[in-house]
Amino acid sequence: MPDQSATDTARLPFWRRLLLRFPAPGSLARKLMGRLFPPISILVVLDLSVTWVLTRRMSLEDWLLRDIFWTMVLSQLLLVGLIAWVLLSGIRSGLASIHDLSRQIRHRSDEDFERLDPRGLPAEVVPLVEHFNELLERLGDTLQAQKRFIGHAAHQLRTPLSGLRLESELMLARPLPEDIRQRAERIKSVSDRMIRMGQQLMVLARADSTVNIKDSFVRLDLCEWAREEGGDWFLQARQHGVEIHLTAPELPVWIDAEPVLLRELLSNLMDNALRYGRGTDAIMLRVASNPPSLSVEDHGPGIAGEDRLRVFDAFYRSPGSQAEGSGLGLAIVQEIARAHGAWWSLLSRPDFPGTRVTIVFPGPRIGARLTRTETLSGN
């Protein structure tokens, strides 16, 4: 079936069809013509003027034919060079707005779904930018819907799971036959694990939200914060037969962070070290000042090389892992670090005698949007 627009165009008068073939206002072709036509016209006029002077003011008796030929060759070479320079400068000037658009896209963060500004762009590129903006909006809406679903589902599951845990605790408080007590303990263990997973899912949804978390940042001393938050883990670590050691500079190490998310980050790192660092007798909590960083180290069996690329994926668990867990701990650490504009790295055997996870913060610059770098090798 023929294109209706092409049929309508063929019915127009000849002069209207010529106007339609002319570049539209604001198009790149129109801009290039506007920039290139005046200087090229001036160059052509100058060339014609030189030719007129040579033909009107000189005779063959004054100049040999060969001299005239070489003079014209040099003038034409000069003209071609000037036209090439004007053409290149005009094209670069016309494409400057497209280069600016490319830089804006390249420096955008993964969570930025704001529309691109098409103002100042050539008319040929504007439809592409508009379609790209529509794609960004649909992608942002889809991700936001997924995050809301995870948060709502985790919140709805928390209440019945808490009731189930309470019932199991009441059962265990009474004298029970041994087989029933074992079942009740398993029910309580599963309930505790499900409640912990629900809490992690809510934290993950919050850390991965499109809401600007940097609006709730506060400036805090990472050294003092690590002393206070790390102290809350002394009792739990002692129950596992593990000592906690803190190494931090004497001077404050200032960062901008969201306290609740930062506490959850440390909680997941410490829980992972206690849960998976089998055989370790100590956990090192280390704070460095240049750059500001927080590390959690254990001397456990480490993480196999093939698993290091996937341990930050949500719900991934190593096939050889014997400890209970949901596979969300390091995924939450990654999302919280990303929300803070921080870097993260993981070292394990044989490069490190155990496992070390390091979070490197960008420093005390509230609202700064930094490019994230992920690395799974040593610092």
Side-chain angles (χ1 to χ4, degrees), residues 109-256:
S109 66
D110 298 341
E111 299 84 11
D112 189 357
F113 294 101
E114 291 294 328
R115 293 175 60 89
L116 297 172
D117 188 3
R119 290 178 298 180
L121 292 172
E124 295 90 345
V125 184
V126 171
L128 175 63
V129 175
E130 292 296 340
H131 291 317
F132 186 74
N133 286 334
E134 294 175 2
L135 177 62
L136 286 177
E137 290 180 355
R138 292 197 300 269
L139 182 59
D141 292 341
T142 301
L143 292 178
Q144 188 65 15
Q146 292 177 351
K147 296 164 190 173
R148 284 197 301 266
F149 172 77
I150 292 174
H152 293 165
H155 182 74
Q156 292 298 324
L157 287 172
R158 183 171 59 177
T159 300
L161 288 174
S162 298
L164 182 61
R165 181 176 63 177
L166 179 61
E167 290 293 336
S168 62
E169 290 175 348
L170 292 176
M171 289 180 61
L172 291 171
R174 300 175 181 178
L176 295 172
E178 186 62 27
D179 58 338
I180 297 179
R181 176 172 294 276
Q182 291 179 356
R183 294 190 182 101
E185 289 176 349
R186 285 198 296 268
I187 292 174
K188 182 179 181 300
S189 176
V190 172
S191 301
D192 291 338
R193 189 163 66 251
M194 291 296 293
I195 290 173
R196 172 62 177 166
M197 183 186 297
Q199 294 173 343
Q200 289 180 319
L201 285 173
M202 286 190 289
V203 171
L204 184 62
R206 180 181 179 186
D208 200 27
S209 173
T210 55
V211 177
N212 191 1
I213 297 177
K214 294 182 176 64
D215 293 339
S216 58
F217 277 9
V218 297
R219 183 157 297 180
L220 53 85
D221 176 13
L222 189 58
C223 300
E224 185 63 26
W225 178 88
R227 293 187 185 98
E228 294 177 359
E229 297 297 330
D232 295 339
W233 285 86
F234 283 164
L235 179 60
Q236 186 172 347
R238 184 167 297 176
Q239 293 174 351
H240 288 77
V242 177
E243 296 287 337
I244 295 181
H245 302 284
L246 173 65
T247 300
E250 294 293 334
L251 298 177
V253 178
W254 298 105
I255 64 169
D256 292 321

Side-chain angles (χ1 to χ4, degrees), residues 285-297:
L285 186 59
R286 191 184 305 275
V287 176
S289 58
N290 190 20
S293 62
L294 174 69
S295 300
V296 175
E297 307 172 0

Side-chain angles (χ1 to χ4, degrees), residues 21-169:
R21 290 179 177 273
F22 195 76
S27 65
L28 180 59
R30 174 74 70 92
K31 290 181 178 180
L32 290 177
M33 290 177 61
R35 290 180 177 273
L36 297 177
F37 185 75
I40 290 178
S41 300
I42 294 174
L43 291 175
V44 171
V45 170
L46 289 175
D47 185 64
L48 292 176
S49 299
V50 172
T51 303
W52 183 82
V53 169
L54 290 175
T55 56
R56 296 286 295 177
R57 301 294 180 88
M58 298 178 61
S59 62
L60 291 177
E61 290 80 5
D62 299 327
W63 279 55
L64 296 175
L65 185 59
R66 184 183 59 182
D67 298 330
I68 296 176
F69 170 76
W70 287 113
T71 302
M72 296 300 296
V73 168
L74 292 175
S75 64
Q76 293 299 322
L77 289 175
L78 179 61
L79 177 63
V80 170
L82 290 175
I83 290 177
W85 176 79
V86 171
L87 183 64
L88 290 176
S89 62
I91 292 176
R92 289 173 179 172
S93 176
L95 297 177
S97 58
I98 299 179
H99 291 316
D100 291 339
L101 177 65
S102 175
R103 283 194 294 269
Q104 292 178 22
I105 296 175
R106 184 171 64 252
H107 290 101
R108 280 201 168 199
S109 66
D110 298 341
E111 299 84 11
D112 189 357
F113 294 101
E114 291 294 328
R115 293 175 60 89
L116 297 172
D117 188 3
R119 290 178 298 180
L121 292 172
E124 295 90 345
V125 184
V126 171
L128 175 63
V129 175
E130 292 296 340
H131 291 317
F132 186 74
N133 286 334
E134 294 175 2
L135 177 62
L136 286 177
E137 290 180 355
R138 292 197 300 269
L139 182 59
D141 292 341
T142 301
L143 292 178
Q144 188 65 15
Q146 292 177 351
K147 296 164 190 173
R148 284 197 301 266
F149 172 77
I150 292 174
H152 293 165
H155 182 74
Q156 292 298 324
L157 287 172
R158 183 171 59 177
T159 300
L161 288 174
S162 298
L164 182 61
R165 181 176 63 177
L166 179 61
E167 290 293 336
S168 62
E169 290 175 348

